[in-house]
Amino acid sequence: LFIKKTKDVQLSIIGVCEIVLYQHYIQIIKDYDIAGRVWFPNKFVDDDELKKLANDHHVGIALYDKGMNTATHYTDPGKVKTYIEMGLPVIMTNTSAIAPYIKQYMAGELVEEVVELPEVLERMKRQYDAYQKGVHAFAQYFEYEKYYSQAFQSL
């Protein structure tokens, strides 16, 4: 609905889902008459293509189920760090151990519910340069050689 109401926004949905869910999303896209602004090939996208796509985008969105019974609660979602690596600020569900770092470095925004997306996207649009600096600071903090050499000093 946000895409329908906000004419200057486009959406790319990257990845693969079950055919029933894909058909459900395609129906929503048709019902909202936003097919010209939503790209959803429902296919695996390799790293090279993903990097090319990232050049045409401004934000990465990573929404997860919340709760102690979800895998995300106990894991470190790679998607978030991939977005950061590609220079994209992140909007993610406030779950998993990486979320506080997104907030600390202002590398994106944390949301509790999907209904927050319009407000968060508008805020990011107004302060995009600050989020870009946050992405850079986040990436510097987690830079592989630096981070792990400090994290494993005792070894």
Side-chain angles (χ1 to χ4, degrees):
L1 193 55
F2 175 76
I3 302 295
K4 180 181 175 99
K5 292 178 180 179
T6 314
K7 303 294 184 193
D8 65 339
V9 172
Q10 296 183 22
L11 174 67
S12 296
I13 304 172
I14 309 297
V16 182
C17 67
E18 297 286 332
I19 192 67
V20 173
L21 185 57
Y22 175 72
Q23 290 170 340
H24 174 72
Y25 289 147
I26 293 302
Q27 189 60 53
I28 290 171
I29 291 166
K30 286 179 185 175
D31 290 347
Y32 287 162
D33 193 27
I34 56 176
R37 295 186 290 125
V38 176
W39 180 68
F40 186 16
N42 197 35
K43 68 173 190 160
F44 174 77
V45 175
D46 66 31
D47 284 348
D48 291 336
E49 186 176 356
L50 193 58
K51 288 175 186 172
K52 290 176 188 171
L53 287 168
N55 289 330
D56 295 329
H57 293 77
H58 295 94
V59 176
I61 300 175
L63 302 177
Y64 301 101
D65 289 333
K66 296 185 302 183
M68 302 276 294
N69 296 327
T70 66
T72 308
H73 181 77
Y74 301 98
T75 60
D76 185 17
K79 182 189 307 185
V80 172
K81 288 188 290 300
T82 299
Y83 289 149
I84 297 290
E85 180 184 333
M86 295 182 181
L88 298 174
V90 176
I91 298 172
M92 72 172 289
T93 310
N94 191 6
T95 188
S96 89
I98 202 74
Y101 293 97
I102 295 295
K103 185 173 183 170
Q104 176 183 342
Y105 288 98
M106 198 176 164
E109 290 279 343
L110 305 178
V111 296
E112 298 294 333
E113 303 292 334
V114 72
V115 296
E116 298 173 61
L117 281 174
E119 177 186 331
V120 167
L121 284 164
E122 283 300 322
R123 183 168 45 248
M124 289 181 87
K125 186 176 177 181
R126 286 190 310 269
Q127 301 174 0
Y128 194 72
D129 289 342
Y131 288 100
Q132 285 286 287
K133 289 177 185 172
V135 166
H136 180 72
F138 180 101
Q140 290 293 347
Y141 177 78
F142 282 104
E143 192 272 322
Y144 180 79
E145 293 294 332
K146 177 182 164 191
Y147 180 77
Y148 286 102
S149 67
Q150 292 172 357
F152 293 119
Q153 276 183 340
S154 63
L155 298 176

